[in-house]
Amino acid sequence: MSDSNKTDFTNPTTFILLGIPGLEPVHVLISIPFCTMYTIAILGNFTILFIVKREPSLHRPMYYFLSMLAITDLLLSTSTLPKTLSIFWFNSREIDFSACLTQMFFIHSFFVMESGILMAMALDHYVAICHPLRYSTILTNTLVAKIGLAVVLRGIMVILPYPFLARRWSYCRTNIIPHTYCEHMAVVKLACTYTHVSTYYGLFVLFCGGGLDVIFITVSYTQILRAIFILPTKDARLKALGTCSSHFCAILAFHIPVLFSSLTYQFGHNVPLHFHVLIANVYLRVPPMLHPIIYGVRTKQIRDRLLWLFSQKGT
């Protein structure tokens, strides 16, 4: 390590991203599954957006929320992978201080937005199953637009203090970040000043940006399951469960990697650093890849439209 990385400094101009510490010799090999997941995410989410736009029968609240999810997945994937690949392929590890804080802001903002969209989709399923006759009058296009705007504003406002707090810290340890991107806690650890405010605020964000959403989703699905099990016929119950299955799989694909990463960070003190970094990358790569697959396979309207497009192309 060079002396420039050891000397005291309070206003760093650049940070050094190490990638995945300890796995530098296989960075190029690791980039293959990363690129594969990103390619699937790009193609899948753009396909979802194309189908929803082209098919008038899909111009409904459920598919508007699905389009919001696809856009957020695209932005979340793209906010980190280009820099990660430049580290893996070209050993381009430097990142400007302002660019690092900008990346930090966008990563966490899109993450909170995605959690909010999944919560909004739970609301859509709740209204569709528990109040089917009032669905079109409750979830109007205007209300959907307001929910979408509220999700975006919450993601921005909740995360906005992150870069401002980071600019106030003094950095006297090192400017080396053992990560593939500027993750909030990875940057916090570099500061030599009192960072408890940022740590506590990070917990607040975790609760507001994920905890409350999970509680709301749990309450919604409790009501949904109660409504499903009092339906008169087995076919009606299976149809209602099938309607919710795609969304439930999307929730699991999003929240399980996040929960696992949080648990390993809090309690896995003996877990190797490269494992922490890999898990942190999993929850940014896997959900954007799985969501279009889940909805493409399990949603009949999207699946039928996709098959029709391929059959027309083949003809």
Side-chain angles (χ1 to χ4, degrees), residues 78-130:
T78 307
S79 64
T80 58
L81 193 68
K83 182 59 184 176
T84 299
L85 292 181
S86 73
I87 297 169
F88 289 171
W89 291 346
F90 310 113
N91 204 30
S92 175
R93 301 184 176 189
E94 285 195 2
I95 183 170
D96 183 76
F97 178 68
S98 297
C100 183
L101 298 188
T102 302
Q103 186 189 57
M104 178 203 302
F105 169 75
F106 281 120
I107 291 169
H108 293 285
S109 289
F110 295 145
F111 188 81
V112 173
M113 290 177 199
E114 183 149 337
S115 180
I117 293 168
L118 289 172
M119 179 181 65
M121 295 173 82
L123 172 65
D124 172 81
H125 287 298
Y126 167 76
V127 176
I129 292 175
C130 297

Side-chain angles (χ1 to χ4, degrees), residues 61-87:
M62 172 184 172
Y63 299 101
Y64 292 148
F65 289 131
L66 180 57
S67 297
M68 295 178 197
L69 183 67
I71 292 171
T72 309
D73 278 336
L74 289 169
L75 295 173
L76 185 61
S77 298
T78 307
S79 64
T80 58
L81 193 68
K83 182 59 184 176
T84 299
L85 292 181
S86 73
I87 297 169

Side-chain angles (χ1 to χ4, degrees), residues 126 129-130 221-231 237:
Y126 167 76
I129 292 175
C130 297
Y221 268 94
T222 301
Q223 298 300 315
I224 287 169
L225 291 174
R226 287 179 59 188
I228 288 174
F229 288 126
I230 63 174
L231 291 174
R237 290 193 292 270

